[in-house]
Structure formats: C-alpha cells, structure tokens
Amino acid sequence: MASPSHTPEAEHASTGTTKIKVPVQDEQKLKQWFVGSIDSGTTSTRFLIFDGTGNPVASHQLEFKQMYPHPGWMEHDPVEIVESTQKCIDEATKAFTEQGHSVSNIKAVGLTTQRETTVLWDSETGEVLYNAIAWPDTRTQAIVRELKERKGADKLQEICGLPLSTYPSSLKLAWMFRNLEKVRKTYDEGRLVFGTIDTWLLYNLNGKENKVHVTDVTNASRTMFVNLHKLEYDSIVLDFFGIDPKKMKLPKIAPSSDSEAFGSLASGPLKGTKITGCLGDQSAALVGQLGFSPGKAKNTYGTGCFLLYNVGEKPVMSSHGLLATVAYHFGGERKPVYALEGSIAVAGSAVQFLRDNFGFIEASHHINDVAASVDDNGGCVFVTAFSGLFAPYWIDDAKGTLFGLTAHTQRGHIARATMEATCFQTKAILDAMEKDSGHKLAELAVDGGMSNSDLCMQTQADIIGIPVDRPVMRETTALGAAIAAGFAVDVWKEFEELENINRKDRMIFKPQMSKEASGKMYKRWERAVEMSRGWLDFDDNRQSS
C-alpha cells in the first residue's frame, strides 16, 4: 500500500456550500463566551470547555474501570462514572480559571454519553441495583434468540428502528429482570428506575434529592422502547418486553437542546450552571461535524465505530442491515432530524486488546508504528467479532477470528489486520447506506481515536474509494454536546453561524489503491466473515439466559 496521500482542505474542491463568515466583532465576542461539555464515553470521562468559536480552552480526562466478569460480559461501576465526571469538571474548571477566565462566562454545560448502557436504581434510596451493563455486552444472546420467536417480534423494528439484538437497552433490562432478584423485588414494589448513562448522570449531577429523571430523544431512541415516528414510549413495545410503566419509572423524553429540561449542576465549581444540551455520543459527533443537512455523514472511530448519515426530518427504515435512529432535535420550532446508522461493535477496543491482552504495544497510539513496520497485512485477516458482528451483518454467534497466519506473520501484519477490520466493516456499511438511500457519499468525515492514525485513514480511503476528511480538532463528540447546549442559551442561534467551526486545516486522504486491488482485499474479508460464524453454542452458554 502506498504511503498516506493527504492534503489540506483548501486544496480540494468546494462542496458548493455557501460559507457565511462570522463578523470579526462577533467572533471576538464569541471568544469570551464559553460552554462546558461532559463527554462520558465507554472507557473514559472528559470535561472540556469550548469558547464560542468552537475551540477547546481547557480539559481533563480520566479512564474508568472496565469489568469483564465472564466471556462476552462488560460492565461499569455507575458510581465511579459519576465520581470521574465530577473530578473532570473540577480539574478542567481549575485549569480554565488559572488561565484568567471567570466561571461566570461559562454560559451552559452540555452532556454526551455512551448509549444503550443500562443502569437501574431504587427511586427511594438512589441505590444502584447492579453494575451498568455496557452496550457491547453479549450475555443476552440466548434471550435474543428466544424473543425473535415471540409473536410480534417481526414488527418491532418498524416501530423503533432497531432490530432485536444484544445491542439495545431493552435486552440488558430483560436479563436483569430474569437474573436479579433485587431488581424484580424493586419492580414489584414500584420503586424501579430505568436509565441510560445520560439519565443516571443527570440524576446525580442535579442532586439525587431533586429526582431529575430525564433523557433526550437520541438516547431514548436506543432503548427500543420509543416509537421513532412519534418520539414517545410505545405501548406495543413495552408490552412485548413485559414492562409495566407504573412499576418501572421511564425517563421523560426531551429535545437534545433545551434550556430547562436537564436541570443544573448542584455542586462543585460550576454549581448553578444549567445543563442545556444532551446527546448520545454518535449523534453528538454528527453535530460536531456540522452534519446538519440530509446527505451529510460522519464516521467515529472510538471503542466501536459508528457511521451516521443524515436522512432529514423523516425516519428511513433500512432494508440492508442498518439502524434507524434520531440524529438530533434542537427543539423550539425545529423538527427532529433522523439518521441511518451503521454500528461496528469493535474498533479501538481491538487495539486495546492487542495492548492489554497480548502486550503488542505499550500505548494504543503505537499501533500506527507497528502497522507501518510492514508493507501489507501479510495475508492476515482479523474478524474482530468480540461482541459478535453488528451492522450490516448482525451475526450474534460470530467470534473474534484471525485468519491467514503463517510462519511469515509478524506483529505488524496483525496490527495492520486489526486496523483493516474497522475499515472493511465501514465499507460494508457504506455499501448498505448507498442501497438504502440511493446516493453514494462523495467523501467521509471522520473523528475519534483511531482517526489519529494517518495509515489507518489512508487505508480507509483506499478501501472505500472516496476521500476521507479529518479535522485538526478531533473532539467533535464533546463539541457536538457544547453546540446543543449553546443553542439553548443563544450562544449560537442559527446553524449558519457554525459553518467556520473546526474547518481550518482539515486533512483529506485521497484513495491511492486501484479498485481491483481494494476489491480483492474486501472479497477476502467477506470470506473471513462467513467463516467466523457459528462459534457460539447456545446450549452451552448458560450465562446468557
């Protein structure tokens, strides 16, 4: 594969969008206004403070513990997530004031979180009833298999946009009902509270005594409980899962940008500051990439990899393995905006796997150097199906499988194959999106940790055959939450005001590989995917019922 071919954005053709330059005096004013952003991801928490031009001026990050009690299980400590969030707010705000800024100029705070991850607690005591079951967790495979045979299962995706799989919150809740006596008892007594991570954080950050119980439309749409067309809880779906909303409290659903719905910080250096934006992390990244018009798309290479494609003000139900979801809803007179989504369960987590389990590298960013030590993958293909395969395949009995090992194989070949796994799955999603939408993307906007690798992004451009567009400032998820919060308090009032945010010096990776060569690589990948099926024996998987 040739060396990375990338150019600054100024060198590539204009998209045809009219650029509206913010007047100089307004820009100077915006630099004195700030918005905080809580970014609670799958492996770490961050708090960033952006100025009104979209530049981060202070930040702090803490990793939190990942728990894998059984193969396929993944859990987080909900209390640790709250504590890490409070610590990040404290430290970033300290750095902010040490620069000479005043906290009074922080107009609002936005929140973006990992989605689907499920928390249950007692409404009277606030006690967490079990660890948070994280979105990649696959313990529910047997339950999924069973529910697919239940009457009405074939109607669910048309209502909520999501297929029955291990992915959404509904299945994690079903497992807790079946396996945790404390959960069943609390439910029977009418004290059970359900939430995703955004709801749990808002409950705590507002002060438990205030009993704030709210979510936004983007997070709510990942539970399976919400009618995607009406954006309200659907009785057919709740009945299918056997949920009585009188016994289990479901969070109020609010727009992603709202001046009142999410409350305010109850303690710490920003006490009293309103929380006015809330988005699931992938929706936040689309907002941070300014994907406000139909046809805009972004791909975030984080723990997993998620491609969102703006389809406008009506949901589009996929017939090619993708998910229908809410992109964002900025409230007021604005209508909700929907997206098609392709979800890849394992991306950056495969790099962490090489680091933590095999000791291939000392730090995740070293993967680029190891992969660059060889010219190609040496015939290796790594199907990184640690949580089965998500979109567009939805193969829940696949397992991580490494093909093509020979005596020639070196660390670099496996490192390349690990990167390429995400790139191949992205191509599969783009192909499905083209079939569903009838349009082929002209270029792909990217962000997230793996996008820092020039080699990975050049590989991505070669495999999908279109340019890959990478911003200099890659904290687009946190930026998206800040934009949602800022809109609610009039830091910005129109999308056009944002058009220059994070546009300078973007890097464009242009395809260098021939279609024939990339097609041959992709054909080998597809063969490997088929061979990774069927490793799981449901009869022996006693932990997932």
Side-chain angles (χ1 to χ4, degrees):
M1 189 175 294
S3 59
S5 169
H6 44 74
T7 57
E9 183 187 41
E11 294 181 21
H12 88 296
S14 168
T15 61
T17 302
T18 303
K19 297 293 182 182
I20 300 176
K21 184 171 177 61
V22 178
V24 173
Q25 65 270 26
D26 289 349
E27 188 169 309
Q28 292 305 315
K29 185 177 181 181
L30 286 171
K31 286 183 177 180
Q32 302 306 313
W33 289 356
F34 302 92
V35 181
S37 182
I38 301 165
D39 182 355
S40 181
T42 306
T43 59
S44 70
T45 302
R46 280 175 280 197
F47 184 69
L48 296 89
I49 301 172
F50 292 89
D51 68 20
T53 66
N55 292 316
V57 297
S59 66
H60 193 75
Q61 179 176 1
L62 290 172
E63 291 190 355
F64 50 81
K65 186 177 180 181
Q66 308 294 305
M67 292 177 275
Y68 306 96
H70 300 284
W73 293 32
M74 183 176 179
E75 298 176 359
H76 296 146
D77 179 352
V79 175
E80 184 185 6
I81 290 175
V82 173
E83 291 173 347
S84 67
T85 300
Q86 293 168 331
K87 180 69 172 177
C88 285
I89 292 172
D90 291 348
E91 293 300 319
T93 305
K94 180 181 177 182
F96 178 74
T97 56
E98 287 175 350
Q99 295 175 31
H101 301 298
S102 170
V103 294
S104 63
N105 288 330
I106 297 178
K107 302 299 182 182
V109 169
L111 171 66
T112 180
T113 62
Q114 57 173 310
R115 306 169 302 170
E116 298 94 18
T117 298
T118 303
V119 189
L120 299 178
W121 64 97
D122 187 312
S123 64
E124 292 183 3
T125 66
E127 174 195 3
V128 173
L129 301 179
Y130 190 71
N131 283 333
I133 298 183
W135 61 267
D137 186 286
T138 61
R139 75 185 70 186
T140 60
Q141 286 167 328
I143 300 176
V144 171
R145 198 182 195 195
E146 172 197 323
L147 292 181
K148 284 182 177 179
E149 301 301 318
R150 182 178 291 181
K151 183 179 179 181
D154 58 335
K155 307 296 184 185
L156 295 180
Q157 189 164 358
E158 184 61 34
I159 296 171
C160 67
L162 306 180
L164 277 169
S165 73
T166 61
Y167 190 20
S169 309
S170 56
L171 276 298
K172 305 175 200 314
L173 177 62
W175 183 91
M176 292 189 196
F177 274 158
R178 295 187 183 199
N179 292 275
L180 304 173
E181 184 178 349
K182 182 185 285 189
V183 168
R184 292 194 300 272
K185 183 175 185 292
T186 308
Y187 174 80
D188 289 338
E189 295 174 357
R191 295 181 286 109
L192 187 64
V193 184
F194 165 86
T196 42
I197 294 297
D198 59 310
T199 301
W200 169 247
L201 280 174
L202 289 166
Y203 170 68
N204 284 273
L205 294 174
N206 275 275
K208 289 183 178 182
E209 66 280 3
N210 292 314
K211 297 187 181 298
V212 172
H213 190 217
V214 64
T215 187
D216 94 296
V217 289
T218 67
N219 282 293
S221 73
R222 313 301 295 188
T223 63
M224 283 193 83
F225 300 142
V226 172
N227 186 306
L228 204 61
H229 309 272
K230 299 178 180 179
L231 297 184
E232 58 189 36
Y233 293 112
D234 191 277
S235 59
I236 294 175
V237 180
L238 293 176
D239 288 346
F240 180 88
F241 287 103
I243 296 169
D244 182 350
K246 294 179 181 178
K247 291 185 176 181
M248 186 182 77
K249 295 174 176 63
L250 293 163
K252 177 184 176 183
I253 302 172
S256 312
S257 179
D258 193 288
S259 61
E260 301 295 335
F262 306 116
S264 60
L265 296 171
S267 62
L270 299 182
K271 181 179 180 179
T273 304
K274 282 188 172 184
I275 304 168
T276 58
C278 181
L279 289 156
D281 52 7
Q282 303 313 317
S283 289
L286 182 66
V287 171
Q289 289 275 20
L290 309 184
F292 297 125
S293 56
K296 292 286 188 180
K298 68 87 201 174
N299 203 28
T300 298
Y301 301 76
T303 302
C305 187
F306 302 88
L307 201 159
L308 260 67
Y309 179 91
N310 184 326
V311 297
E313 296 175 353
K314 292 184 179 180
V316 173
M317 298 298 170
S318 173
S319 56
H320 296 92
L322 304 181
L323 309 178
T325 194
V326 181
Y328 55 85
H329 183 199
F330 273 33
E333 299 298 317
R334 297 182 179 92
K335 294 181 179 180
V337 172
Y338 294 88
L340 279 171
E341 175 176 331
S343 308
I344 299 169
V346 175
S349 57
V351 177
Q352 292 171 325
F353 170 79
L354 294 184
R355 180 194 69 189
D356 298 339
N357 295 41
F358 286 174
F360 265 38
I361 47 179
E362 291 183 2
S364 294
H365 64 271
H366 292 162
I367 191 72
N368 189 79
D369 295 335
V370 176
S373 68
V374 294
D375 293 332
D376 53 38
N377 61 25
C380 290
V381 178
F382 190 4
V383 181
T384 51
F386 301 154
S387 297
L389 287 171
F390 284 11
Y393 307 106
W394 300 109
I395 306 173
D396 57 8
D397 63 351
K399 288 294 183 183
T401 317
L402 186 58
F403 296 95
L405 295 179
T406 67
H408 169 69
T409 304
Q410 302 174 31
R411 287 194 313 157
H413 297 129
I414 295 175
R416 271 193 182 257
T418 302
M419 284 184 172
E420 289 171 356
T422 300
C423 298
F424 287 133
Q425 290 175 85
T426 296
K427 174 176 169 51
I429 289 168
L430 282 174
D431 288 349
M433 282 188 174
E434 184 178 347
K435 292 173 184 175
D436 278 328
S437 67
H439 299 285
K440 182 178 176 66
L441 280 186
E443 65 180 22
L444 181 64
V446 300
D447 52 64
M450 285 182 73
S451 73
N452 292 324
S453 166
D454 285 0
L455 178 59
C456 186
M457 293 301 95
Q458 183 60 53
T459 301
Q460 185 69 88
D462 289 340
I463 288 172
I464 62 178
I466 59 174
V468 168
D469 176 4
R470 184 181 71 187
V472 171
M473 199 287 291
R474 287 157 217 165
E475 299 289 357
T476 53
T477 302
L479 176 60
I483 288 172
F487 259 81
V489 294
D490 290 339
V491 172
W492 307 283
K493 296 180 181 180
E494 301 294 337
F495 292 140
E496 288 79 8
E497 297 175 50
L498 302 168
E499 287 197 1
N500 292 323
I501 284 182
N502 206 21
R503 302 307 304 172
K504 187 178 180 182
D505 297 328
R506 294 174 75 96
M507 200 66 73
I508 308 299
F509 295 84
K510 299 177 180 179
Q512 290 186 297
M513 183 179 287
S514 70
K515 288 184 178 181
E516 181 182 8
S518 64
K520 184 177 180 180
M521 290 176 66
Y522 186 62
K523 186 175 181 180
R524 181 179 293 173
W525 161 262
E526 288 186 308
R527 187 163 68 247
V529 166
E530 289 304 310
M531 293 173 68
S532 74
R533 290 177 180 266
W535 286 95
L536 183 66
D537 184 339
F538 283 99
D539 293 333
D540 293 339
N541 190 14
R542 54 187 174 84
Q543 295 286 3
S544 47
S545 60

